[in-house]
């Protein structure tokens, strides 16, 4: 086994990690390794997490050392955007074969590095360790070292075999690789008092560009974004920033904390989701820069921009409020960003039927409670069956989640919107907030729902025959409910209760009787 | 006769290939109430799951034994046991299909034995079929995982039949390769039923992944062929295997039950479908229904209309062996020039692909060769879209994964009708490309080289 255990242990003991703080000593020794029970749930591996965290560095080659499984099954699946190089979109893997497994894959890896450099001449190569080479003892650190000597370029080992733990752990292992091998190795051409780092932001669907114009307007320079639309040189110089923002995720807290420790760069954790959070974040950036020597007038200019943007966005979301009134949304985000999304939705007048808190820290949960009230419905396990139960019980009008659970909602004829990493829409900053509301509105009021929830005429006749109920006018039922139909195809029956709320659930023919009666 | 060679690179760039274990899981998805389980670390399952969901846009069941570092060293029996118990209690499956991964293969674990011991220990599992297939990631490709797994299903789940026992002359086993879509399977079912035959598909992805809306939420597959039906496949009169990859499973069926088989290496194109329909007419002892006579005429007409656009096209195609053979043969029959063919793994059909050389390689190879050969049509899965845009040539998506277009599960290529639709799709792509990019200008003819070689040569 060739796994750098000290580095992994170090990450487990990350003092900034809220999740670890909540654990008992015994739990903590388990670290993030065993979140998953065999046959009970699914989640990405540490390699997945490391790749997610680093791949948005656009001008470097990301070379995956392992058999075809790790990279061949997963590449080209993320929508980070680049303003320059597209090298990051190419996939590089050693595609180890049986011979490599028997005799070791180090030679192939070394040659692969040479090939990549020969063909693409990137400023650096990131080499990812995966399960099989780790288990047979390939020492990627040594190979990278040899390759550095030979090719005279930074070759960065990322020690992330999948079996060491979860995606979240992988994010942090990626951060360790940056701290150990990249950050502080080059110097910027010049610095300004307005230089900041953004940490843990991946620029999915180019969403960071929704906020960047405001920073530009204020004269704030992003010295390095780790890692969305990032470039190697900027990353290597990032130790010269005056302040840093850790974008709401806890994924790379080790990077933020250690950069503070080593280079004296203070950081705060903030988010650009939702109006309030966007404003707070801009304000905090300005304050921290001023504290570190930027002119005082930055504060005034920032306030002016915030005031202008807030007024614009409030005016824009006003039109959604009557349409969202009484509408309930179920949030399945994995939990890391839950609170910031909750706040965003509430600003537009949506009710939150419940939220998943699987990956939330204690602080996250406290914030959710603060926003949603003490009786906030939170679920720990977000297996499809649990989500389904929650959808039914909470009588949600809509679900927001990542792509993997979309079918739980869609097949039950409940509107759904992707708010996870694979999404193709961008929801950041003030503009993003309005965009999100537009998408929710489109989903809620799409005319397909009334059509799809109608049973086939012959199925309806069947129910009525069985239950001996006179045929009800389904059009009338439809009209009385703006969104929900009177009953759905495929057995997801619904009805209105006295308060006019729609109940969704799979009900038997006998129950269908009262359902139809109640709606009459 | 094509020469088959293997890329010599150490670094695969833009893989065409996907791994064996998920090909195996894919096969299990065609069984009813099934839970595919990858014996490995959690990431392998998560990646596979995402891939299938992106392609089909359906809920897909898949589980992991969640091996961690410690178990990778000391063996994973306990993980297999826990996974099986958890799935049994939670998802209530009718069958659990287990594929190994690279990590669990390097230790050489005897999973068959684990399963035996687990069933001994937990009598409630005795009746639950647990099918295990060894599919290391560092060997073969997606298609190999499928073919091994289907053969294994036959070996384990089909009941043997005593010789001399009467067979049901209308019952037909169909063993489809993984290059067929759920839409293809539905089409084949219709054709067989139109001849009065009763087909059993193993596996039956159409039953589970053709985009239905289930009545109730289920954590396992929602449809597909049941274990009970598989058990009786030995009573069929014939086995029809589609794609060379299914030879192994067809032979296993024959060895176990004596059911004769006929292998159709491809079902796209006029001639192969003539053979297929004639075969069905013979075994069912029925004349060819009018419907298929008309469909044949429509295909012939489509070929006439489309040959202007497809004839002489210089084609670069990257696909798994059977799909490559299938599509490239049809396009060769339409007059296309198969200039570049790249595939993922070895197969007996590769030598017979109508091109000079077949390369076992990656999408970088496909792109470079397409460039040097001046190809003007690219066919491969969705990952080829970057290459196509760099080459600036029309791009037809075929195979798995297809994540940037809708309806992947319904794309048709089998039968007269399927071939007709496919030909129209390809020809229309070429027409659209010509309209968009190749309007003549005063300069069009200036750059033609000296000896007036403007017309691409036809294949011999
Ligand atoms: S778990 Fe291991 S083998 Fe599987 S994808 Fe992750 S790194 Fe690769």
């Amino acid at each position: 086994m060739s796994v750098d255990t000290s580095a992994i242990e170090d990450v487990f003991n990350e003092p900034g990690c809220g999740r670890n703080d909540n654990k008992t000593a015994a739990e903590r020794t388990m670290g993030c390794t065993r979140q998953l029970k065999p046959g009970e749930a699914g989640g990405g591996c540490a390699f997945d997490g490391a790749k997610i965290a680093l791949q948005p560095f656009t001008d470097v080659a990301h070379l995956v050392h392992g058999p075809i499984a790790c990279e061949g099954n997963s590449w080209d699946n993320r929508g980070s955007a680049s303003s320059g190089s597209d090298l990051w979109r190419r996939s590089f893997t050693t595609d180890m074969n049986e011979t490599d497994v028997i005799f070791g894959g180090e030679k192939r890896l070394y040659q692969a590095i040479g090939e990549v450099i020969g063909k693409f001449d990137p400023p650096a190569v990131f080499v990812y360790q995966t399960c099989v080479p780790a288990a047979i003892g390939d020492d990627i650190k040594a190979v990278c070292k040899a390759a550095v000597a030979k090719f005279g370029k930074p070759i960065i080992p990322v020690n992330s075999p999948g079996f060491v733990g979860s995606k979240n752990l992988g994010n942090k292992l990626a951060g360790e690789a940056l701290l150990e091998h990249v950050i502080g190795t080059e110097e910027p051409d010049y610095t300004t008092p307005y230089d900041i780092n953004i940490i843990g932001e991946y620029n999915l669907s180019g969403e960071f560009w929704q906020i960047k114009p405001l920073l530009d307007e204020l004269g704030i320079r992003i010295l390095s974004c780790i890692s969305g639309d990032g470039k190697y040189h900027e990353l290597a110089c990032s130790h010269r920033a005056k302040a840093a923002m850790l974008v709401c995720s806890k994924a790379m807290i080790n990077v933020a904390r250690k950069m503070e420790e080593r280079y004296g760069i203070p950081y705060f954790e903030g988010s650009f989701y939702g109006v309030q959070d966007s404003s707070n974040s801009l304000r905090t950036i300005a304050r921290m820069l001023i504290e570190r020597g930027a002119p005082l007038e930055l504060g005034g200019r920032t306030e002016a921009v915030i005031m202008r943007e807030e007024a614009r966005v409030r005016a824009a979301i006003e039109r959604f409020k009557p349409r969202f009134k009484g509408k309930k949304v179920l949030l399945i985000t994995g939990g890391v960003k839950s609170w910031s999304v909750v706040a965003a939705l509430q600003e537009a007048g949506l009710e939150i039927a419940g939220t998943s808190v699987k990956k939330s820290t204690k602080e996250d949960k406290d914030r959710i409670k603060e926003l949603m009230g003490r009786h906030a419905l939170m679920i720990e396990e977000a297996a499809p069956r649990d989500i389904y139960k929650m959808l039914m019980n909470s009588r949600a009008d809509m679900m927001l989640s990542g792509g993997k659970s979309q079918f739980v909602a869609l097949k039950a004829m409940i509107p759904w919107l992707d708010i996870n990493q694979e999404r193709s829409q961008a929801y950041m900053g003030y503009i993003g907030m309005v965009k999100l509301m537009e998408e929710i509105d489109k989903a809620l009021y799409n005319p397909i729902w009334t059509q799809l929830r109608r049973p086939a005429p012959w199925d309806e006749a069947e129910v009525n025959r069985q239950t001996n109920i006179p045929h009800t006018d389904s059009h009338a039922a439809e009209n009385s409910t703006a969104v929900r139909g009177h009953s759905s195809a495929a057995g997801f029956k619904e009805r209105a209760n006295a308060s006019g709320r729609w109940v969704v659930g799979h009900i038997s023919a006998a129950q269908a009787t009262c359902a139809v009666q109640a709606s009459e | 006769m094509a020469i088959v060679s293997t890329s010599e690179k150490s670094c695969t760039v833009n893989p065409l290939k996907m791994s064996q274990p998920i090909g195996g899981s894919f096969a299990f998805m065609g069984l009813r109430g099934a839970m595919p389980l990858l014996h490995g670390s959690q990431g392998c399952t998560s990646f596979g799951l995402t891939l299938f969901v992106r392609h089909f846009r359906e809920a897909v069941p898949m589980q992991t034994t969640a091996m961690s570092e410690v178990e990778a060293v000391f063996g994973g029996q306990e993980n297999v046991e826990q996974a099986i118990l958890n799935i049994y209690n939670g998802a209530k499956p009718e069958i659990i299909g287990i594929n190994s991964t690279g990590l669990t293969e390097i230790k050489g674990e005897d999973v068959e034995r684990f399963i035996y011991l687990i069933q001994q220990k937990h009598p409630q599992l005795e009746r639950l079929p647990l099918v295990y297939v060894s599919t290391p990631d560092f060997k073969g490709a997606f298609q190999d995982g499928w073919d091994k797994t289907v053969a294994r299903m036959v070996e384990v789940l089909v009941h043997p039949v005593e010789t001399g026992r009467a067979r049901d002359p209308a019952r037909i086993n169909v063993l489809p390769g993984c290059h067929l879509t759920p839409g293809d399977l539905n089409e084949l079912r219709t054709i067989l039923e139109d001849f009065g035959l009763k087909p059993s598909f193993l596996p039956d992805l159409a039953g589970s992944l053709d985009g239905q809306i289930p009545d109730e939420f289920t954590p396992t597959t929602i449809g597909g062929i049941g274990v009970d039906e598989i058990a009786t496949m030995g009573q069929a009169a014939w086995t029809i295997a589609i794609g060379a990859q299914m030879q192994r499973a067809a032979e296993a069926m024959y060895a176990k039950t004596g059911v004769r088989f006929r292998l159709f290496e491809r079902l796209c194109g006029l001639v192969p479908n003539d053979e297929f329909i004639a075969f069905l007419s013979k075994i069912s002892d029925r004349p060819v229904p009018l419907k298929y006579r008309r469909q044949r005429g429509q295909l012939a007409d489509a070929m006439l209309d489309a040959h202007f656009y497809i004839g002489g096209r210089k084609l670069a195609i990257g696909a798994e062996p059977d799909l490559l053979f299938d599509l490239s043969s049809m396009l060769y029959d339409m007059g296309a020039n198969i200039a570049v063919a790249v595939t993922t793994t070895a197969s007996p059909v590769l030598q017979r692909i109508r091109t000079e050389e077949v390369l076992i390689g990656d999408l970088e190879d496909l792109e470079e060769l397409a460039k040097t050969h001046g190809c003007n049509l690219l066919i491969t899965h969705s990952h080829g879209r970057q290459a196509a845009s760099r080459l600036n040539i029309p791009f037809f998506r075929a195979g798995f994964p297809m994540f940037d277009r809708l309806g992947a599960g319904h794309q048709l290529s089998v039968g007269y009708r399927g071939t007709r639709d496919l030909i129209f799709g390809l020809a229309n792509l070429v027409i659209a490309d010509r309209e968009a990019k190749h309007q003549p200008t005063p300069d069009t003819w200036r750059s033609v080289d000296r000896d007036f070689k403007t017309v691409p040569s036809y294949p011999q």
Side-chain angles (χ1 to χ4, degrees), chain B residues 110-228:
Chain B
D110 187 353
V111 180
E112 294 282 7
R113 192 173 152 71
F114 292 176
I115 292 176
Y116 172 78
L117 294 174
I118 292 165
Q119 275 181 326
Q120 297 283 301
K121 193 165 148 199
H122 306 280
Q124 74 271 31
L125 297 176
E126 212 181 311
R127 318 201 72 160
L128 178 69
L130 302 168
V131 180
Y132 169 73
V133 194
S134 156
T135 45
D137 296 303
F138 45 78
K139 273 200 223 171
F142 191 83
Q143 183 185 301
D144 302 296
W146 171 281
D147 95 51
K148 272 190 202 169
T149 301
V150 181
R152 190 81 195 121
M153 287 174 190
V154 171
E155 285 164 12
V156 179
L157 299 173
V158 177
H159 289 173
V161 175
E162 317 101 67
T163 39
R165 226 195 104 167
R167 298 181 186 284
D168 180 349
R171 249 193 101 169
I172 305 291
N173 300 328
V174 184
L175 303 175
C178 62
H179 58 307
L180 300 191
T181 65
D184 286 329
L185 301 193
N186 280 330
E187 182 77 4
L188 287 171
R189 181 183 301 280
T190 306
I191 297 173
L192 286 156
E193 286 176 352
D194 285 343
F195 281 92
L197 299 167
K198 292 182 288 181
S200 299
F201 286 81
L202 180 68
D204 182 9
L205 286 175
S208 56
L209 283 170
D210 79 337
Q212 286 300 308
I213 297 179
D215 284 353
E216 265 177 283
F217 177 75
T218 140
T220 61
T221 52
I222 62 167
I225 186 169
V227 173
D228 42 355

Side-chain angles (χ1 to χ4, degrees), chain B residues 405-416:
Chain B
R405 287 293 181 274
L406 299 181
H410 298 283
Q411 195 168 341
L412 267 191
S413 71
V414 301
Y416 294 126

Side-chain angles (χ1 to χ4, degrees), chain B residues 275-397:
Chain B
E275 286 171 9
F276 181 58
I277 295 288
F279 176 73
L280 296 184
S281 174
K282 194 183 108 209
I283 61 171
S284 65
D285 202 18
R286 287 198 191 190
V288 175
L290 185 62
K291 180 177 170 188
Y292 296 104
R293 294 167 200 247
R294 287 189 69 84
Q295 284 190 3
R296 187 180 193 279
Q298 290 167 359
L299 172 56
D301 200 46
M303 291 169 76
L304 289 171
D305 293 345
H307 84 281
F308 298 108
Y309 306 98
I310 294 176
R313 276 271 138 182
K314 264 195 173 177
L315 176 69
I317 175 166
E320 292 240 274
D322 280 343
L323 183 64
L324 178 67
F325 180 74
D326 202 25
L327 293 182
S328 67
S329 304
M330 186 277 281
L331 283 157
Y332 177 89
D333 295 345
M334 285 292 297
N337 172 358
I338 316 300
V340 177
V342 178
T343 193
T344 57
T345 181
S347 160
V349 293
L350 296 179
Q351 290 185 344
R352 280 183 284 116
I353 285 171
R354 311 297 285 265
T355 183
E356 276 173 21
E357 185 186 4
V358 179
L359 182 67
I360 298 179
D362 56 28
L363 290 176
E364 181 189 53
D365 299 324
L366 183 73
E367 183 176 343
E368 273 172 10
L369 288 168
K371 198 168 183 181
T372 47
H373 284 78
C375 290
N376 48 17
L377 178 60
L378 183 72
I379 300 180
T380 187
H381 54 52
S382 282
H383 284 303
R385 68 199 196 289
Q386 294 180 40
S389 79
R390 281 190 289 263
L391 294 165
N392 195 25
I393 59 176
F395 174 40
F396 190 81
R397 291 164 177 80

